[in-house]
Amino acid sequence: MQQKRNIQIIEWEDLDKRKFYSFGVFMTMTIRATVYPATLIRTRLQVQRGKSLYNGTFDAFFKILRAEGIRGLYRGFMVNSFTLISGQAYITTYELVRKYVSQYTKDNTVKSLVAGGSASLVAQSITIPIDVVSQQLMMQGQGEHLSRFRLSSDTTKPKKVFGQTRNIMAQIFAADGFRGFYRGYFASLLTYIPNSAVWWPFYHFYAEQLSILAPSDCPHLILQGMAGPLAAATASTVTNPMDVVRARIQVEGRTSVMETFRQLIKEEGFWGLTKGLSARIISSTPTAIVMVVGYEALKKLSLRPELVDSRHW
């Protein structure tokens, strides 16, 4: 059914699924590689005590670059790339839940909120073990004193593929068992489900408002590319306090969300809840632009042939 808005939304049933997944893997990998350095910096900023290591996002960037080189900004990237699986699970869940909810309501905000939250739940269940390992790898180098685990001397040289990863995984399992790979699961859900649930409604809201203000001949893709970063900044600001707690739980080996939250407030005050926010917004802005432009272009490229001529962009 036609949406009552200026920007047409391509729904799940409009897509050629083979094209959608083929292009989707490439798009997701491109996004991961683009924003990974900012993700690594955000993690180190969130875990450090006060400004013991870095004074801010740009200070962290230049210090890591000088001390560890480009490779330092990509510590744990190969492990993190396995989140490609969760990325595909996310977009599939999002589209399928939107389709299901459409049977009960035509309100796009409701559909986006429910679908975004559900997609995040599925994706995080796959992502958490990958995040736990990759975050420990991120902390090596300048941030290794902030981590519970250290790389043994025989894995510091890249002699074996994933040698460092196996070393960290063995230490996590020895310390916490299988549960160690799901440390911070509850905190992650409290971070990413609201983040996703907030992002999609705001994305469609900003896109709709921009389409009203923009000239009638302005391409929809430009408006969507502007709406994505606005939605990302909004969602990041709202959910950053929980993201700080999540990072500390996973890196420091804590178990209690409330205890971690209280200690953070006690040590650093409420400003501690904003740690890594600028890095998060900096990473989420290009992510949002690439994701929105890429995702909307992906859907257009994946549109079933018989529908191409009926769509006007």
Side-chain angles (χ1 to χ4, degrees):
M1 183 173 180
Q2 179 67 37
Q3 298 282 337
K4 294 182 179 179
R5 54 181 57 238
N6 294 323
I7 294 182
Q8 291 177 300
I9 298 175
I10 300 175
E11 301 290 3
W12 182 249
E13 59 271 18
D14 301 331
L15 300 173
D16 179 327
K17 307 305 186 295
R18 185 173 59 180
K19 289 183 180 179
F20 183 71
Y21 285 112
S22 298
F23 292 132
V25 170
F26 175 76
M27 182 196 76
T28 304
M29 192 63 182
T30 301
I31 293 173
R32 302 280 187 219
T34 302
V35 305
Y36 191 81
T39 302
L40 181 143
I41 290 169
R42 182 193 78 200
T43 300
R44 291 194 182 183
L45 287 173
Q46 289 176 334
V47 175
Q48 73 173 356
R49 289 290 185 272
K51 295 182 179 180
S52 60
L53 191 58
Y54 308 115
N55 292 321
T57 300
F58 293 103
D59 180 57
F61 175 79
F62 289 114
K63 281 183 177 177
I64 294 170
L65 199 59
R66 283 197 300 268
E68 305 175 50
I70 293 293
R71 289 182 61 184
L73 293 169
Y74 279 89
R75 287 184 180 275
F77 176 71
M78 290 302 294
V79 175
N80 190 264
S81 66
F82 283 99
T83 55
L84 280 171
I85 301 169
S86 64
Q88 298 307 302
Y90 180 94
I91 58 176
T92 301
T93 303
Y94 177 78
E95 294 293 347
L96 288 175
V97 172
R98 269 188 67 91
K99 180 180 179 181
Y100 177 77
V101 176
S102 295
Q103 301 175 41
Y104 302 96
T105 179
K106 299 303 177 185
D107 188 316
N108 193 58
T109 299
V110 174
K111 289 193 290 184
S112 298
L113 191 149
V114 175
S118 301
S120 188
L121 173 62
V122 172
Q124 285 305 304
S125 296
I126 300 171
T127 300
I128 297 298
I130 302 171
D131 273 348
V132 167
V133 176
S134 66
Q135 283 176 345
Q136 294 296 340
L137 290 167
M138 287 178 190
M139 302 310 295
Q140 303 305 310
Q142 288 183 323
E144 66 179 7
H145 66 285
L146 301 173
S147 172
R148 292 191 300 155
F149 307 113
R150 304 284 191 278
L151 291 172
S152 60
S153 58
D154 63 336
T155 58
T156 54
K157 295 181 180 180
K159 295 179 180 179
K160 299 180 180 179
V161 177
F162 294 120
Q164 296 182 352
T165 303
R166 287 196 296 271
N167 183 252
I168 288 293
M169 289 177 66
Q171 291 184 60
I172 293 172
F173 187 78
D176 303 319
F178 181 75
R179 291 179 59 184
F181 295 101
Y182 272 88
R183 185 175 294 280
Y185 179 64
F186 183 60
S188 292
L189 295 185
L190 289 179
T191 301
Y192 291 112
I193 289 180
N195 187 84
S196 185
V198 167
W199 193 94
W200 286 102
F202 270 105
Y203 165 61
H204 290 300
F205 170 76
Y206 287 132
E208 183 178 5
Q209 296 307 308
L210 288 169
S211 71
I212 294 172
L213 298 173
S216 58
D217 60 346
C218 182
H220 289 171
L221 201 58
I222 292 178
L223 302 179
Q224 291 165 328
M226 294 170 63
L230 292 173
T234 302
S236 294
T237 302
V238 170
T239 61
N240 195 72
M242 200 62 232
D243 194 43
V244 177
V245 173
R246 173 200 61 81
R248 293 203 168 191
I249 287 175
Q250 291 181 331
V251 173
E252 297 178 353
R254 298 175 179 272
T255 57
S256 172
V257 171
M258 289 307 300
E259 181 185 338
T260 305
F261 180 81
R262 283 194 293 267
Q263 184 170 351
L264 177 63
I265 297 297
K266 181 180 178 181
E267 292 179 351
E268 306 189 45
F270 284 97
W271 282 109
L273 299 175
T274 66
K275 291 173 76 72
L277 177 58
S278 59
R280 196 171 180 214
I281 291 177
I282 288 170
S283 68
S284 67
T285 297
T287 301
I289 294 173
V290 174
M291 187 184 82
V292 167
V293 173
Y295 188 60
E296 296 295 348
L298 167 66
K299 292 173 78 174
K300 291 175 177 62
L301 289 171
S302 305
L303 198 63
R304 291 186 0 237
E306 64 271 21
L307 298 176
V308 172
D309 293 334
S310 66
R311 297 300 178 112
H312 304 285
W313 313 111

